[in-house]
């Protein structure tokens, strides 16, 4: 039987607002399959977003959903998670939302290793506002605020996340869909801060400006540009030009997790006090 | 039996929060409010509560809103520079109607200003700091005992009206130590948010058909609803270009405006027969009280109107006062901000004069006494 | 879920062969052509900006179209899965 997405989508919300050919819908479906595979209770899931195209995703899902301010999803989510540490907190954020205005919260959430999953929808642009360049726009490409070719330099989000302390770092793409399902499941199952950068296609604000005539051209560019990390590491240096690894790029199990460490301290205090008062 | 303690203002604020049932604090170090955070860092873990020091004040404000949505009574404490950083998320809490408390221990401003000196020049920011039309409740205690009770009241008002409440007191009041009676549990009323009684599938988080303050479900309790900073309909989903936005904005303001008698608290001291009145809050209120006594000792009929609730502004009380007093003197640790509100409400019925001091020291009673005498 | 679980039944077009059943929901399809271009057997085509099956016989039920459709507009079911 075909997968029944309707079980997870709030009634009457489709068709969604994303442009024709925007792959956010594809990633959205992958996310729903990943959540379904874990048999989670919808009451136990919170999805938090900032501002931007990706931030509209929580509006469609039948979970506890919170659409916050630009760049601030992670810290709203930290409040939710600390208040209810046994619940699943999922954060969706665009490349600008997560690494430009939200950059400070991004590195601190990684450092803190708090148990939540951040999906960074990287479409290389600020789509909602019409195609300005972002901290991930490739050097030399065009954007409405870099009309003569981008002369700014891009983050590599997985390296940023790993350097800041995230204990699960992966990269998926909207083309390699079955692999994406597995990555999201692995990220959500990991105890600690999980970051999944998901390469996405924005035909309207990014593709058209950069000679991608159709959404499919963007998807095919993804197909060519991303190589499973195991194969990528075997490639000779000259072959890795213009290519990036995807899959699970870093995973450290058993690292102390922030909520666990905090509430272990609470327990220690309770035993010491012997009061056991809530 | 209440417990007598010698407490610093900032500590009394933390104790007031705990008394009100607060189980969540998120903050960031900043003079002169850090002691609030330090006190919570000691007390909350012992009660199974959440203490979070975040990477900046923006994050602290966001975490407080997240904590409150998950069912905790949550607050943060800061000072001028941090208060400026929190404005966007403060506005988010106002529009999404999430109860929370923001404590602003005011110092000399603007910019880095006088971190260890008192200030009252943030007071308009407590009213209009964030963008857009929005309600504002701001309480202004002047004594350590009042910091305790006003913090409890702040939580109660935020839970009752589903809106953020600001508690603003200056550095002197925040750092001074005074004897305080900590009431026993139950002595002061503690209010919790109204929860929905309808089944989850019928719940509308912003339905105002039963009244201006919709019941609030907590996240993760079966009421899977949507919260967004976009203007939204009764079901919480975004609406744009709809009459609903206008009526909803009016409702947000009405929650405060229509409940002034429940929200407003003022202290009137020897005001009934006063020829010259002083309008002052915080540390200036204490100096003014001393000045009034000094004036009375000299046979001058002076009195003090000291708001405990500066927003919503006590318009009616000031209007009535302006009709019977010859002059209202407004001492402020700023170059005049509340002065404009007093002038607005006096409508020229009496002289309104400000005393302004921003050199890092409080205004002394003698300064106020001198102006009372000149006003005769 | 709000106001009870609304079981949305969208109007769909259906093509069926002995191997597969394909359904397309015109209201959801935005004509992005991803399915048309990525279908390995040219089973699909675009008519008035809506995806359509042009030759159901060519479909080998590889599910590429359903996998990559961003708009929940197309679903493919292998026949033995349907019995």
């Amino acid at each position: 039987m075909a997968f029944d997405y309707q079980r997870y989508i709030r009634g009457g919300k489709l068709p969604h607002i994303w442009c024709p050919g925007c792959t956010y819908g594809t990633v959205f479906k992958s996310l729903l399959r990943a959540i379904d595979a874990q048999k989670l209770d919808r009451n136990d899931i919170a999805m938090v977003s900032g501002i931007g195209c990706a931030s509209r995703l929580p509006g469609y899902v039948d979970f506890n959903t919170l659409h916050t301010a630009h760049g601030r999803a992670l810290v709203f989510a930290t409040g939710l998670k600390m208040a209810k540490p046994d619940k699943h907190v999922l954060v969706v954020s665009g490349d600008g939302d997560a690494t430009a205005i939200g950059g400070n919260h991004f590195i601190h959430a990684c450092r803190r290793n708090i148990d939540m999953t951040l999906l960074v929808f990287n479409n290389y642009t600020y789509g909602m506002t019409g195609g300005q360049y972002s901290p991930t726009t490739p050097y030399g490409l065009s954007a409405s605020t870099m009309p003569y070719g981008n002369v700014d330099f891009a983050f590599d989000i997985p390296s940023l996340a790993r350097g800041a302390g995230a204990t699960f770092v992966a990269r998926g793409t909207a083309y390699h869909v079955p692999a994406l399902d597995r990555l999201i499941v692995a990220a959500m199952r990991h105890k600690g801060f999980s970051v999944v950068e998901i390469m996405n296609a924005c035909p309207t604000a990014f593709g058209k400006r950069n000679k991608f005539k159709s959404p499919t051209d963007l998807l095919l560019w993804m197909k060519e540009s991303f190589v499973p990390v195991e194969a990528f590491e075997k490639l000779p240096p000259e072959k890795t030009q213009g290519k990036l690894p995807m899959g699970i790029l870093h995973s450290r199990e058993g690292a102390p997790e922030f909520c666990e460490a905090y509430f272990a301290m609470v327990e220690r205090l309770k035993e010491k006090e012997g009061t056991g008062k809530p | 039996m209440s417990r007598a303690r010698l407490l610093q203002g900032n500590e009394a604020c933390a104790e007031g929060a705990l008394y009100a049932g607060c189980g969540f604090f998120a903050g960031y170090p900043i003079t002169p409010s850090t002691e609030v955070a330090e006190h919570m860092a000691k007390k909350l873990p012992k009660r199974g509560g959440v203490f979070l020091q975040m990477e900046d004040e923006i994050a602290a404000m966001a975490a407080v809103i997240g904590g409150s949505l998950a069912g905790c009574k949550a607050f943060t404490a800061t000072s001028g520079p941090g208060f400026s950083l929190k404005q966007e998320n403060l506005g988010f809490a106002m529009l999404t109607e999430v109860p929370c408390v923001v404590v602003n221990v005011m110092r000399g401003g603007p910019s880095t200003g006088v971190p260890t000196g008192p200030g009252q020049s943030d007071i308009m920011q407590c009213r209009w700091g964030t963008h857009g039309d929005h309600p504002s409740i701001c309480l202004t205690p002047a004594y350590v005992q009042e910091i305790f009770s006003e913090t409890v009241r702040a939580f109660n008002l935020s839970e009752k009206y589903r809106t953020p409440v600001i508690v603003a007191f200056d550095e002197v009041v925040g750092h001074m130590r005074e004897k305080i009676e900590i009431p026993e549990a139950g002595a002061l009323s503690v209010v919790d948010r109204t929860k929905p009684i309808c089944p989850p599938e019928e719940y509308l988080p912003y339905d105002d058909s039963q009244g201006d303050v919709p019941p609030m479900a907590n996240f993760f309790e079966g009421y899977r609803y949507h919260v967004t900073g976009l203007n939204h309909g009764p079901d919480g989903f975004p609406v744009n270009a709809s009459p609903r936005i206008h009526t909803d904005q009016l409702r947000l303001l009405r929650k405060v405006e229509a409940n002034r008698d429940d929200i407003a608290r003022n202290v009137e001291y020897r005001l009934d027969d006063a020829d010259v009145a002083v309008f002052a809050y915080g540390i200036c209120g204490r100096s003014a009280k001393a000045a009034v006594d000094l004036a009375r000792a000299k046979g001058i009929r002076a009195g003090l109107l000291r708001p405990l609730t500066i927003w919503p502004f006590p318009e009616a009380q000031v209007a009535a006062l302006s009709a019977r007093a010859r002059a209202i003197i407004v001492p402020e640790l700023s170059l005049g901000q509340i002065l404009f509100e007093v002038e607005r409400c006096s409508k020229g019925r009496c002289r309104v004069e400000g005393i302004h001091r921003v050199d890092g020291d409080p205004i002394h009673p003698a300064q106020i006494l001198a102006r009372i005498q000149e006003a005769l | 879920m709000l106001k009870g679980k609304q079981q949305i039944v969208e109007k769909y077009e259906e093509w069926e062969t002995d191997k597969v059943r394909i359904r397309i929901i015109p209201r959801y399809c935005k004509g992005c052509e991803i399915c048309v271009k990525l279908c390995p057997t040219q089973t699909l085509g675009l008519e008035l900006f809506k995806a359509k099956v042009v030759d159901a016989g060519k479909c080998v039920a590889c599910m590429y179209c359903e996998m990559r459709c961003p708009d929940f507009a197309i679903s493919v079911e292998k026949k033995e899965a349907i019995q």
Side-chain angles (χ1 to χ4, degrees):
Chain A
M1 246 303 283
F3 187 85
D4 175 14
Y5 297 103
Q6 294 297 348
R7 276 187 299 124
Y8 291 100
I9 297 177
R10 285 173 166 142
K13 295 284 178 209
L14 291 180
H16 52 60
I17 61 156
W18 296 306
C19 304
C22 165
T23 51
Y24 281 5
T26 317
V27 177
F28 177 25
K29 287 160 65 178
S30 172
L31 173 59
L32 294 183
R33 290 191 300 269
I35 286 174
D36 185 72
Q38 299 171 71
K39 299 283 169 275
L40 301 176
D41 180 337
R42 288 197 297 272
N43 290 325
D44 295 341
I45 303 173
M47 185 185 286
V48 186
S49 66
I51 294 292
C53 296
S55 73
R56 285 309 195 91
L57 201 144
Y60 297 111
V61 292
D62 180 17
F63 305 140
N64 304 277
T65 54
L66 177 57
H67 176 203
T68 70
H70 192 33
R72 313 304 172 189
L74 278 172
V75 279
F76 277 87
T78 299
L80 279 178
K81 181 69 181 182
M82 283 300 289
K84 289 282 191 321
D86 54 344
K87 303 303 181 187
H88 299 277
V89 175
L90 194 53
V91 180
V92 287
S93 202
D95 41 301
D97 191 58
T99 69
I101 186 168
N104 194 27
H105 310 313
F106 179 91
I107 55 173
H108 285 276
C110 292
R111 170 187 59 79
R112 199 169 282 133
N113 195 32
I114 186 163
D115 183 28
M116 62 174 76
T117 300
L118 168 66
L119 304 182
V120 182
F121 285 49
N122 185 357
N123 59 359
Y124 304 112
T125 187
Y126 285 90
M128 177 76 78
T129 40
Q132 300 71 40
Y133 85 100
S134 86
T136 58
T137 303
Y139 189 82
L141 291 193
S142 165
S144 69
T145 45
M146 273 288 183
Y148 312 111
N150 182 22
V151 293
D152 204 341
F153 303 98
F155 276 137
D156 176 78
I157 290 180
S159 312
L160 186 63
R162 181 174 182 174
T167 50
F168 183 96
V169 179
R171 172 186 280 134
T173 87
Y175 179 82
H176 306 90
V177 174
L180 186 58
D181 291 15
R182 291 192 299 274
L183 284 179
I184 295 175
V185 171
M188 289 184 73
R189 284 211 170 110
H190 171 78
K191 188 154 70 67
F193 193 67
S194 307
V195 179
V196 184
E197 178 189 26
I198 305 172
M199 317 317 288
N200 269 281
C202 170
T204 310
F206 175 78
K208 280 206 188 88
R209 296 188 69 95
N210 290 290
K211 298 185 199 60
F212 293 95
K213 278 195 248 9
S214 76
T216 310
D217 292 344
L218 274 163
L219 279 170
L220 294 176
W221 178 48
M222 263 183 236
K223 180 184 175 189
E224 294 317 314
S225 311
F226 294 92
V227 175
V229 57
E230 303 77 13
F232 183 84
E233 276 158 359
K234 294 196 188 72
L235 287 177
E238 66 283 359
K239 275 267 194 321
T240 62
Q241 263 306 330
K243 296 216 187 309
L244 283 172
M246 66 177 179
I248 297 180
L249 306 176
H250 172 61
S251 176
R252 189 155 64 90
E253 296 306 328
E257 186 273 329
F258 183 71
C259 296
E260 205 173 58
Y262 180 86
F263 288 103
M265 171 182 72
V266 167
E267 283 318 307
R268 276 199 312 276
L269 291 169
K270 235 177 248 168
E271 280 133 25
K272 217 171 65 186
E273 293 267 327
T275 57
K277 201 151 44 64
Chain B
M1 232 288 287
S2 69
R3 289 175 291 124
R5 298 275 300 282
L6 178 67
L7 277 189
Q8 185 192 60
N10 283 346
E11 287 167 348
C13 177
E15 285 299 322
L18 294 169
Y19 186 94
C22 163
F24 191 107
F25 175 90
Y28 188 81
I30 185 168
T31 302
S33 80
T34 314
E35 293 84 359
V36 180
E38 286 172 337
H39 201 72
M40 297 307 278
K42 278 201 288 274
K43 292 291 181 95
L44 274 176
K46 284 189 178 155
R47 295 159 170 251
V50 172
F51 171 82
L52 272 174
Q53 181 172 302
M54 299 298 285
E55 52 267 29
D56 54 41
E57 286 93 345
I58 301 167
M61 189 69 222
V64 158
I65 297 167
S68 180
L69 271 171
C72 299
K73 288 188 178 182
F75 86 117
T76 185
T78 189
S79 183
F83 192 58
S84 293
L85 288 175
K86 290 178 193 288
Q87 292 302 319
E88 185 188 1
N89 286 342
L90 188 56
F92 180 90
M94 287 172 185
L95 187 82
T96 56
E97 300 178 79
V98 174
C100 58
V101 171
V102 178
V103 176
N104 182 11
V105 188
M106 297 186 286
R107 72 197 217 177
S111 181
T112 312
V114 185
T116 54
Q120 294 181 325
S121 49
D122 303 355
I123 205 65
M124 281 297 174
Q125 187 178 25
C126 295
R127 175 67 189 89
W128 294 111
T130 195
H131 56 284
D133 294 309
H134 54 269
S136 174
I137 299 176
C138 178
L139 312 184
T140 43
Y143 296 81
V144 170
Q145 183 74 52
E146 273 181 3
I147 291 178
F148 181 94
S149 51
E150 287 305 286
T151 301
V152 175
R153 199 161 75 89
F155 275 94
N156 289 346
L157 290 173
S158 82
E159 292 284 319
K160 183 175 181 181
Y161 295 107
R162 269 191 78 172
T163 191
V165 173
I166 297 163
V167 183
F169 47 91
D170 51 77
E171 177 276 330
V172 168
V173 175
H175 275 163
M176 77 168 49
R177 281 180 176 71
E178 279 181 316
K179 185 185 151 203
I180 164 176
E181 295 285 341
I182 297 196
E184 56 194 34
L188 294 182
S189 81
V190 168
V191 172
D192 294 324
R193 60 196 69 173
T194 314
K195 304 283 280 288
I197 39 171
C198 65
E201 55 277 7
E202 285 166 22
Y203 178 56
L204 295 173
Y206 299 100
D207 165 31
D208 56 356
S209 57
Q210 314 300 324
D212 282 348
V213 185
M216 178 177 172
N218 297 328
F219 269 27
F220 306 119
E221 287 177 358
Y223 292 80
R224 298 184 300 278
Y225 65 99
H226 186 58
V227 173
T228 177
L230 288 164
N231 280 93
H232 41 263
D235 56 10
F237 292 105
V239 290
N240 57 24
S242 121
R244 160 80 193 190
I245 294 175
H246 188 89
T247 54
D248 218 32
Q249 289 287 121
L250 293 175
R251 175 177 66 84
L252 289 181
L253 295 176
R254 202 170 48 238
K255 285 200 297 188
V256 173
E257 292 309 319
N259 296 293
R260 275 173 173 267
D261 351 337
D262 180 35
I263 294 168
R265 285 284 185 289
N266 300 305
V267 173
E268 297 192 1
Y269 180 70
R270 310 182 82 161
L271 208 51
D272 303 345
D273 62 343
D275 289 336
V276 179
V278 183
F279 182 94
Y281 64 93
I283 190 65
C284 291
R286 300 179 69 144
S287 301
K289 181 167 181 289
V292 162
D293 289 340
L294 291 169
R296 287 278 175 174
K298 293 178 185 298
I300 303 167
R301 286 206 298 269
L304 165 65
L305 172 56
R306 180 166 67 85
L308 279 175
T309 312
I310 195 75
W311 309 113
F313 190 72
E315 289 159 349
Q317 287 82 351
V318 171
L321 186 56
S322 65
R324 62 175 197 273
R326 267 206 302 238
I328 302 177
I329 296 171
V330 186
E332 283 183 274
L333 299 183
S334 73
L335 296 179
Q337 291 186 21
I338 285 300
L339 176 67
F340 306 130
E341 289 293 298
V342 175
E343 278 171 357
R344 177 174 68 81
C345 299
S346 305
K347 293 192 169 51
R349 282 188 289 268
C350 71
R351 266 184 291 109
V352 177
E353 293 168 12
I355 304 176
H356 308 140
R357 183 167 186 176
V358 290
D359 63 359
D361 270 336
I363 292 171
H364 295 187
Q367 281 178 274
I368 301 172
L369 174 62
R371 292 299 287 279
I372 292 174
Q373 289 165 320
E374 280 160 28
L376 287 176
Chain C
M1 245 313 294
L2 298 174
K3 290 197 186 51
K5 179 75 179 142
Q6 286 155 311
Q7 212 30 17
I8 305 289
V9 181
E10 289 289 347
K11 207 165 60 52
Y12 57 81
E13 293 164 357
E14 188 174 272
W15 293 265
E16 200 156 357
T17 69
D18 55 0
K19 284 207 301 293
V20 73
R21 184 177 67 190
I22 303 166
R23 281 184 184 163
I24 293 179
I25 303 171
R27 199 170 78 88
Y28 289 175
C29 173
K30 293 175 184 162
C32 71
E33 241 184 332
I34 287 177
C35 62
V36 173
K37 290 187 168 179
L38 290 184
C39 170
T41 59
Q42 290 76 41
T43 303
L44 302 164
L46 213 59
E47 263 172 43
L48 290 170
F49 298 104
K50 295 291 178 187
K52 292 275 184 297
V53 172
V54 295
D55 183 349
K58 288 186 175 168
C59 174
V60 295
C62 71
M63 315 294 269
Y64 270 25
C65 54
E66 171 174 334
M67 199 193 306
R68 297 224 173 74
C69 167
D71 294 292
F72 301 84
I74 187 167
S75 61
V76 176
E77 284 166 84
K78 291 196 182 81
K79 256 320 177 58
E80 70 279 356
I82 298 165
Q83 261 85 36

